Amino acid sequence: MLGLMQDWPLLCHRILEHAAAIHGNQEVVTRSVEGPIVRTTYKQVYERALKVSQALDKDGIKLGDRIATIAWNTTRHLECWYGIMGIGAVCHTVNPRLFPEQIAWIVNHAQDRIVITDLTFVPVLEQVAAKLPSVERFVILTDKAHMPQTSLKNAIAYEDWIGECDGDFKWKTFDENTAAAMCYTSGTTGDPKGVLYSHRSNVIHSLMANSKDALGTSSADAMLPVVPLFHANSWGIAFSAPAMGTKLVMPGPKLDGASVYELLNTENVTCTAGVPTVWLMLLNYMSQNNLKLPHLKFLVCGGSAMPRSMIKAFVDMGVEVRHAWGMTEMSPLGTLGALKPPFSSATGEERLDVLQLQGYPPFGVQMKITDDAGRELPWDGKTFGRLKVSGPAVSKAYYRIDNKILDEDGFFDTGDVATIDEHGYMRITDRSKDVIKSGGEWISSIDLENLAVAHPAVAEAAVIGVHHPKWDERPLLIVQLKQGQNASREDILKFMEGKIAKWWMPDDVAFVDGIPHTATGKILKTALRDQFKSYSFPNAAA
Ligand code: ADP
């Protein structure tokens, strides 16, 4: 027997329709790429998003066509998201921090028909435009006055493009499983892989994001997403904030400590979200200038592990800190570290211990840990294994890649290695390709790195597994020292001794001038493995 409720497809654009109808006067504030702060409302965002749809329709864009955006967090970018999705086209966010060749590869793989971009990226796109045969036109997110001379094909200023439309347009209704958006993983191993979100998965994800123990903002909040729209969907905030009528503050191109602080302060921001690098810049700026943020109540940090010292700094400021873990393939939220009983009343170091964990999943994400053979491992907070997940906003396949990515129970292998404790809190111990397999046992490279960076002379540390004739692999610690500081191999090893199991101790320490990073700010271990491919341990006698 079927239920007798309305067949109301979960479509992304319904979120903005709701925001315009119920929270129409709520503000959306942007630091524009041209410079000035621009103020608008959800009602205006909605009206202009309809014009984007109309302009795309005039350009012959149809259901299922891919439209790329290569742009900062701004109101115009938000309008484009909804305008693209509202006609059933696919909003393909491209990360501008990738190399131009990677951008070209991704645009070609997606077969994007239009590229919508900021002034900032016009020069990069001019370099690769000749290699983008599928692209019919470039829309530059600016007005006539700021439009540059450019060789980009059929280039038009955004304000002219939508200015030709009257907005008398209706968004379409279609199957909620229709593709809404796509985002390629950054491809630190092999080619990038396209993750294809549906309207249904995005709407369900935004409802998950809006639960109190997740991102949970309200219409009384102001949210500043530092995490970009082009990085894992801005953690869903472009959907979750309008769904709640939360004021949005978009930081545009300026993500340095001073600029982010200024917006947090002047716009009375209560909630914000971003990666640890951004918070480090903010904390440095605030401590150098002896500044406070009296309005900020809630800060979400994810994308890579949040250091304990950073958690403490925000806790000491009276800000509720929430560590989050996720990935592009999960839309991206996987777990969040809200404090549930019995930890809600924990104080001091014990509270920090829990806040440092990656957290537990909201309803809508299931997880398990397994060994290499796929056997489930216990939730004891100590045993670590491959972390696998399932849910309505988790990928089941990659775009145009014929590869089975789910196990027989329908779980996706995240590529992370983790423990889960009896309360359901998960802790990342490594990436599965980075874990060091020594004599059949696993050593966590992340735990070793965290320990090494606690040494006062160490700026950054990376650990890779290097072939060893007896143990198969042993850890090599690669260290970049702080400017003007000195420490020897022995100093660093001595510092680590006694804090980890003896057989976890790195076999050697190598000093480098710089540690390479990916476009999303993570340590690029493939490059380090390459750099040290002919390295052999001094003690490596068989
Ligand atoms: P990219 O490689 O493009 O940055 P993602 O943003 O999807 O791709 O990265 C997801 C990966 O980032 C996760 O699988 C995990 O390894 C890492 N990650 C994300 N959040 C955290 C966190 N809070 N702690 C540790 N690692 C994290």
Side-chain angles (χ1 to χ4, degrees):
M1 191 192 291
L2 294 178
L4 288 173
M5 305 311 280
Q6 294 183 9
D7 191 8
W8 200 87
L10 302 176
L11 298 173
C12 295
H13 37 291
R14 291 194 160 170
I15 293 177
L16 190 59
E17 284 172 345
H18 171 79
I22 306 300
H23 309 283
N25 294 327
Q26 180 62 283
E27 276 190 305
V28 181
V29 180
T30 292
R31 184 193 298 283
S32 65
V33 176
E34 293 88 348
I37 303 289
V38 177
R39 314 190 84 83
T40 170
T41 63
Y42 278 126
K43 185 160 183 291
Q44 287 166 306
V45 171
Y46 167 67
E47 287 164 357
R48 284 163 56 89
L50 282 175
K51 292 187 179 184
V52 172
S53 296
Q54 213 176 358
L56 289 167
D57 191 57
K58 269 175 71 182
D59 280 347
I61 299 302
K62 300 268 178 294
L63 193 89
D65 286 343
R66 274 80 59 210
I67 307 297
T69 66
I70 310 182
W72 301 112
N73 287 9
T74 66
T75 310
R76 285 178 177 142
H77 193 178
L78 189 68
E79 292 160 3
C80 290
W81 269 42
Y82 282 97
I84 295 166
M85 296 180 206
I87 57 165
V90 180
C91 178
H92 173 201
T93 48
V94 181
N95 185 342
R97 296 185 182 131
L98 296 171
F99 295 119
E101 291 305 318
Q102 284 176 307
I103 294 179
W105 190 96
I106 286 173
V107 169
N108 282 324
H109 192 265
Q111 294 282 288
D112 296 320
R113 287 187 61 190
I114 294 183
V115 171
I116 300 175
T117 193
D118 273 323
L119 286 166
T120 324
F121 309 116
V122 167
V124 176
L125 288 170
E126 283 173 343
Q127 278 174 44
V128 293
K131 297 180 196 155
L132 307 176
S134 66
V135 178
E136 295 158 33
R137 97 169 315 169
F138 290 81
V139 177
I140 318 298
L141 292 164
T142 192
D143 54 17
K144 201 192 280 312
H146 294 88
M147 185 67 180
Q149 274 289 343
T150 172
S151 58
L152 291 174
K153 196 194 291 177
N154 291 325
I156 186 168
Y158 176 74
E159 295 298 337
D160 288 348
W161 187 56
I162 63 168
E164 290 166 6
C165 302
D166 59 10
D168 183 14
F169 193 84
K170 281 221 158 18
W171 277 334
K172 302 193 166 50
T173 298
F174 35 76
D175 187 320
E176 63 183 17
N177 288 299
T178 304
M182 74 196 309
C183 183
Y184 281 71
T185 60
S186 58
T188 41
T189 49
D191 286 330
K193 296 186 275 294
V195 173
L196 194 57
Y197 307 105
S198 67
H199 282 263
R200 175 188 151 85
S201 70
N202 277 344
V203 173
I204 291 178
H205 181 270
S206 72
L207 299 176
M208 276 161 50
N210 272 328
S211 55
K212 195 165 184 324
D213 285 346
L215 298 187
T217 58
S218 83
S219 56
D221 281 313
M223 162 61 98
L224 188 154
V226 187
V227 53
L229 289 164
F230 57 74
H231 191 198
N233 262 328
S234 186
W235 303 350
I237 293 166
F239 301 120
S240 63
M244 298 307 292
T246 302
K247 171 178 168 179
L248 261 180
V249 182
M250 300 297 239
K254 294 203 170 160
L255 306 181
D256 59 281
S259 306
V260 170
Y261 175 82
E262 187 198 353
L263 281 184
L264 290 172
N265 190 37
T266 55
E267 295 300 328
N268 295 346
V269 169
T270 55
C271 315
T272 185
V275 296
T277 328
V278 166
W279 303 135
L280 191 64
M281 293 192 290
L282 177 72
L283 285 172
N284 284 343
Y285 176 76
M286 287 178 68
S287 81
Q288 281 155 14
N289 298 281
N290 199 16
L291 297 168
K292 296 205 162 33
L293 279 171
H295 305 290
L296 188 66
K297 290 191 298 208
F298 179 49
L299 179 139
V300 187
C301 180
S304 48
M306 188 178 192
R308 191 179 182 95
S309 54
M310 185 179 285
I311 298 175
K312 183 166 185 318
F314 284 112
V315 167
D316 290 348
M317 280 163 53
V319 173
E320 186 179 353
V321 175
R322 193 156 299 163
H323 197 177
W325 164 86
M327 59 194 312
T328 309
E329 287 89 336
M330 300 183 73
S331 300
L333 296 178
T335 59
L336 295 114
L339 289 170
K340 60 173 178 164
F343 306 110
S344 32
S345 53
T347 52
E349 295 301 313
E350 198 198 338
R351 195 176 180 88
L352 295 182
D353 286 346
V354 187
L355 289 174
Q356 208 177 348
L357 302 171
Q358 271 74 13
Y360 61 90
F363 171 70
V365 176
Q366 278 181 299
M367 51 180 194
K368 65 176 177 183
I369 43 174
T370 75
D371 63 13
D372 276 343
R375 281 181 298 252
E376 278 204 46
L377 296 171
W379 291 21
D380 59 11
K382 289 196 279 288
T383 311
F384 52 89
R386 290 172 174 275
L387 177 61
K388 298 179 180 171
V389 291
S390 80
V394 178
S395 297
K396 63 177 176 190
Y398 291 112
Y399 181 60
R400 289 179 58 205
I401 299 182
D402 210 6
N403 231 357
K404 199 172 155 279
I405 63 168
L406 305 185
D407 71 9
E408 34 309 332
D409 301 323
F411 278 68
F412 168 77
D413 188 336
T414 62
D416 285 323
V417 177
T419 63
I420 305 176
D421 70 16
E422 72 215 85
H423 306 281
Y425 281 92
M426 185 274 285
R427 181 173 79 90
I428 297 281
T429 58
D430 226 326
R431 297 283 298 160
S432 54
K433 55 184 188 297
D434 296 336
V435 79
I436 294 132
K437 294 186 174 165
S438 170
E441 297 289 339
W442 290 9
I443 300 175
S444 156
S445 67
I446 294 182
D447 283 357
L448 296 183
E449 287 158 9
N450 285 343
L451 183 53
V453 288
H455 187 289
V458 174
E460 200 170 11
V463 173
I464 56 169
V466 170
H467 176 70
H468 189 285
K470 180 165 175 196
W471 301 108
D472 194 20
E473 268 185 358
R474 290 292 304 157
L476 169 68
L477 171 62
I478 301 164
V479 164
Q480 181 189 345
L481 291 174
K482 287 185 186 153
Q483 253 188 350
Q485 301 264 359
N486 264 318
S488 66
R489 170 188 188 277
E490 285 66 34
D491 294 337
I492 292 173
L493 292 178
K494 191 141 198 282
F495 173 80
M496 297 174 80
E497 241 171 50
K499 300 187 177 104
I500 38 168
K502 225 169 160 191
W503 62 277
W504 277 41
M505 283 294 286
D507 281 29
D508 200 5
V509 183
F511 293 90
V512 293
D513 292 336
I515 289 186
H517 292 99
T518 66
T520 48
K522 292 170 189 151
I523 295 176
L524 190 54
K525 295 218 174 156
T526 43
L528 286 174
R529 277 190 209 106
D530 228 34
Q531 193 177 334
F532 286 90
K533 68 171 179 276
S534 45
Y535 173 88
S536 63
F537 288 116
N539 62 352

